[in-house]
Amino acid sequence: MLGTRIALIVLTALLVCGTARAEDKIVLATVNGEEITSDALLNELRNIHSEQTEEVHRADFNVNRLLQKLINDRLLAQDARDLGLNQEKTITDAVRWFRETQAFELLVRDVQPTTFEVSESEVRASFDHNYQRVMLRILCVPDSSLSAAIADSIVGQGVSMASLAQRHAIDKFKDVGGDAGLFPLFDIPEHLAKKIESVPSGTLVGPMMLWRTWALARADAILPPEEELYDSVKVILKNFLLMQRGAEFRKDFIAREGAAIPVMVDSTAIDSIPGRFALGEPGVGTVIVRIGKDRVLTSEDLQNKFTHRYIARGDRNQWDVLYEVLDEQFDLMMLKEIAKQRK
């Protein structure tokens, strides 16, 4: 006991003075032949301070109590092994999950830069593009056949979109003939914005799913951004570009490091998910993505994730939501498999 107390005094002095070297290890206690070293105590201290949300007072900290906690933990682990708990499936599954999570977090920390560079000129270019103002006219109806018939009337017969909106629309712009006003491109649902960008002004786009309705839309004009907005939105745009940069980095890393990993994708089963969701049918346990030997994504799991995302994002086309969720899950599985193979 005297030796342990002396070791604690030495360790405390090292912590206070900041003179401990990485290779210094002091045996603080031995529990049935298993050593507890100063490294274990230092790691526990790091965990405590990383989780601390309030001011730590001197009376709150006791090195002896912390060492006793490590001793108790070691005794509990030894008792669990003696009882054979380390062979129980729930325990081995939890350990495997913990190791996999740690490996994944270490991989991301080690390979991904802590920050990416975004220049002022890139932010400016993003503003010039994303904050163009669209003079938007829109017409939403409850079913696709009516939307298609209205589109034929507008394009084929030259009927006014404003009059058709006043007659058929179920959206809040009905009484003003579908005139939604000016919207920055950045604030328009992504799949609608892409369609508007891909055609000349004045071209009707749709029918498409929008806000759980069938919509027709038209950009009657596209105007330059309001210059006075730039200073107030450039932080938003910088964060947006940083997210894009991070996603591109991960994609490139997966393509490079995961090129030799075998991948199976059942596209037919994936494409059936929106139909099953629409009919209220539950997901099934069919494997729709397999990465490596045993890392799988089931139809049920993807359908559940798709359902939660789609219900929360009614402004999105269901296929866009499905492939967005699938893409996220695929990237996550690949990164975990790469981490596993790197051990």
Side-chain angles (χ1 to χ4, degrees), residues 171-188:
D171 56 68
K172 64 181 180 181
F173 307 115
K174 171 185 175 74
D175 294 337
V176 290
D179 184 3
L182 285 172
F183 277 88
L185 200 61
F186 195 74
D187 293 340
I188 295 174

Side-chain angles (χ1 to χ4, degrees), residues 153-172:
S153 298
I154 296 170
V155 177
Q157 302 172 32
V159 180
S160 164
M161 186 175 177
S163 64
L164 290 169
Q166 290 174 332
R167 192 183 315 161
H168 298 287
I170 59 171
D171 56 68
K172 64 181 180 181

Side-chain angles (χ1 to χ4, degrees), residues 51-255:
E51 295 171 2
Q52 183 69 38
T53 57
E54 299 176 356
E55 183 181 355
V56 180
H57 300 286
R58 185 177 298 276
D60 297 335
F61 179 73
N62 185 298
V63 178
N64 286 311
R65 191 163 61 239
L66 185 59
L67 177 60
Q68 189 60 54
K69 175 184 180 299
L70 294 176
I71 293 171
N72 292 342
D73 289 347
R74 194 63 57 89
L75 287 169
L76 285 170
Q78 291 174 355
D79 285 346
R81 285 198 297 269
D82 291 342
L83 292 169
L85 293 181
N86 59 321
Q87 303 301 319
E88 293 282 343
K89 185 177 185 304
T90 53
I91 301 296
T92 56
D93 286 349
V95 171
R96 183 165 55 251
W97 174 85
F98 175 78
R99 286 176 172 168
E100 184 174 272
T101 302
Q102 291 293 303
F104 170 73
E105 290 177 355
L106 285 170
L107 175 72
V108 172
R109 187 190 69 190
D110 290 346
V111 303
Q112 182 165 307
T114 54
T115 186
F116 295 92
E117 294 298 323
V118 174
S119 67
E120 182 71 23
S121 61
E122 289 176 301
V123 175
R124 179 72 217 196
S126 180
F127 174 77
D128 290 342
H129 173 257
N130 287 301
Y131 276 83
Q132 295 177 93
R133 292 169 293 160
V134 178
M135 190 178 291
L136 186 66
R137 191 172 295 273
I138 196 160
L139 193 166
C140 299
V141 294
D143 64 81
S144 59
S145 57
L146 176 57
S147 186
I150 292 172
D152 287 341
S153 298
I154 296 170
V155 177
Q157 302 172 32
V159 180
S160 164
M161 186 175 177
S163 64
L164 290 169
Q166 290 174 332
R167 192 183 315 161
H168 298 287
I170 59 171
D171 56 68
K172 64 181 180 181
F173 307 115
K174 171 185 175 74
D175 294 337
V176 290
D179 184 3
L182 285 172
F183 277 88
L185 200 61
F186 195 74
D187 293 340
I188 295 174
E190 185 179 3
H191 64 294
L192 174 56
K194 286 181 178 178
K195 288 182 180 292
I196 287 172
E197 287 184 277
S198 66
V199 298
S201 296
T203 304
L204 189 72
V205 295
M208 72 183 77
M209 278 295 293
L210 188 66
W211 303 305
R212 299 193 182 95
T213 64
W214 286 92
L216 297 165
R218 187 177 70 207
D220 288 338
I222 297 180
L223 307 176
E226 291 183 279
E227 187 60 36
E228 56 269 26
L229 280 178
Y230 180 65
D231 287 339
S232 63
V233 301
K234 64 181 182 181
V235 172
I236 296 172
L237 289 172
K238 183 174 182 178
N239 289 335
F240 173 69
L241 291 170
L242 287 170
M243 288 175 59
Q244 284 187 325
R245 200 65 48 85
E248 290 166 2
F249 177 89
R250 288 189 294 275
K251 288 288 186 187
D252 291 342
F253 178 80
I254 289 169

Side-chain angles (χ1 to χ4, degrees), residues 231-343:
D231 287 339
S232 63
V233 301
K234 64 181 182 181
V235 172
I236 296 172
L237 289 172
K238 183 174 182 178
N239 289 335
F240 173 69
L241 291 170
L242 287 170
M243 288 175 59
Q244 284 187 325
R245 200 65 48 85
E248 290 166 2
F249 177 89
R250 288 189 294 275
K251 288 288 186 187
D252 291 342
F253 178 80
I254 289 169
R256 183 176 66 253
E257 299 294 326
I261 296 175
V263 174
M264 182 282 291
V265 178
D266 186 343
S267 57
T268 302
I270 291 169
D271 289 343
S272 71
I273 287 176
R276 298 181 66 85
F277 166 76
L279 294 172
E281 296 179 358
V284 293
T286 306
V287 174
I288 55 176
V289 178
R290 184 186 301 278
I291 292 176
K293 292 182 179 180
D294 52 14
R295 195 175 303 280
V296 300
L297 177 68
T298 67
S299 176
E300 180 181 24
D301 192 23
L302 181 60
Q303 184 169 329
N304 288 340
K305 288 179 170 61
F306 161 76
T307 301
H308 286 294
R309 182 75 59 86
Y310 184 59
I311 289 173
R313 294 293 307 273
D315 62 326
R316 301 289 304 279
N317 177 280
Q318 61 181 357
W319 294 103
D320 291 341
V321 174
L322 175 65
Y323 292 126
E324 178 182 275
V325 173
L326 177 63
D327 193 52
E328 290 174 358
Q329 292 303 304
F330 181 85
D331 285 358
L332 181 61
M333 292 169 68
M334 284 295 290
L335 286 170
K336 286 185 174 181
E337 187 65 21
I338 292 168
K340 174 186 173 183
Q341 294 192 9
R342 285 188 169 197
K343 303 187 186 303

